[in-house]
Amino acid sequence: MLMSTAERRGAPADDDMSEVEAPVTSEAPDRDVPVAGPGPEARASERQSGYRPLWSEEPARRRRLPDPVRTAAVRAVLVVAVTLILAMVAFLSTLAESWLAFPMVLASVAGTVVATWGVLDVWVTRQVWNQRHGVVSEPSSTARAMRRERRRARRQARTAERGRGRIGRRGGAGQLSHP
């Protein structure tokens, strides 16, 4: 007897609408991040309706790029892709000894210059954005503690300097008390 792919995998066949329980994993297979699965009442409704979502939403790990930087990056990727295609056509035309080889080599050299400009444009746009809008950064606790320690040392040095100056003005010639 031949089994269909759906029967081998344990999924309901097209003509058979019987429900099959799918194993629910608490972790994504390729990451160590636990996946927030649906609650028990959502699972019960899924079993009743036979609907299972294809994917579960995960929060983004990084913030998305600012619009000008993303625009420059997309432009750079497109220019680099076209340049790679031009270089490949130039190489294959050269192998085939076609008349198209020389114009393609010239075009790929020009494309390389433009692609370099595009990548530099992404870098410069990102730097300008960071300068204008600032980067939110929080110093680490060790850096904060070191700054606190330096401030405390500076305060103590200033206090000691002031104290020495006062003693000298009193005319006690460095004596703190009379014997």
Side-chain angles (χ1 to χ4, degrees):
M1 177 175 142
L2 292 173
M3 294 176 68
S4 69
T5 306
E7 290 171 335
R8 273 183 277 158
R9 290 189 182 164
D14 292 337
D15 55 313
D16 181 22
M17 293 306 285
S18 64
E19 294 169 6
V20 176
E21 291 268 342
V24 178
T25 59
S26 63
E27 288 188 359
D30 60 341
R31 295 190 186 112
D32 296 335
V33 181
V35 176
E41 60 277 343
R43 278 190 229 121
S45 68
E46 284 176 13
R47 274 189 230 115
Q48 290 170 357
S49 67
Y51 167 77
R52 265 187 17 220
L54 295 175
W55 64 83
S56 61
E57 294 289 330
E58 291 182 13
R61 292 183 185 271
R62 295 188 310 178
R63 291 194 335 242
R64 92 183 212 176
L65 288 173
D67 286 340
V69 178
R70 197 177 46 217
T71 304
V74 168
R75 186 172 44 237
V77 165
L78 290 174
V79 169
V80 167
V82 168
T83 302
L84 287 173
I85 291 171
L86 285 172
M88 187 179 64
V89 169
F91 176 72
L92 293 175
S93 302
T94 304
L95 287 180
E97 298 178 2
S98 170
W99 63 270
L100 197 59
F102 184 67
M104 283 293 119
V105 168
L106 291 180
S108 62
V109 168
T112 303
V113 171
V114 174
T116 305
W117 168 82
V119 172
L120 285 175
D121 181 42
V122 173
W123 183 68
V124 169
T125 306
R126 187 166 169 262
Q127 296 300 323
V128 168
W129 176 269
N130 287 341
Q131 276 188 346
R132 286 185 184 162
H133 301 284
V135 179
V136 178
S137 67
E138 298 174 6
S140 67
S141 58
T142 55
R144 202 175 292 131
M146 287 171 49
R147 271 201 312 270
R148 227 179 267 137
E149 197 61 42
R150 273 186 261 137
R151 271 190 233 120
R152 191 176 298 128
R154 271 188 255 136
R155 262 188 238 119
Q156 288 174 349
R158 278 192 301 246
T159 306
E161 187 65 37
R162 276 191 227 121
R164 274 187 248 128
R166 281 191 217 127
I167 291 172
R169 280 188 299 240
R170 287 184 190 160
Q175 283 184 320
L176 295 177
S177 61
H178 295 287

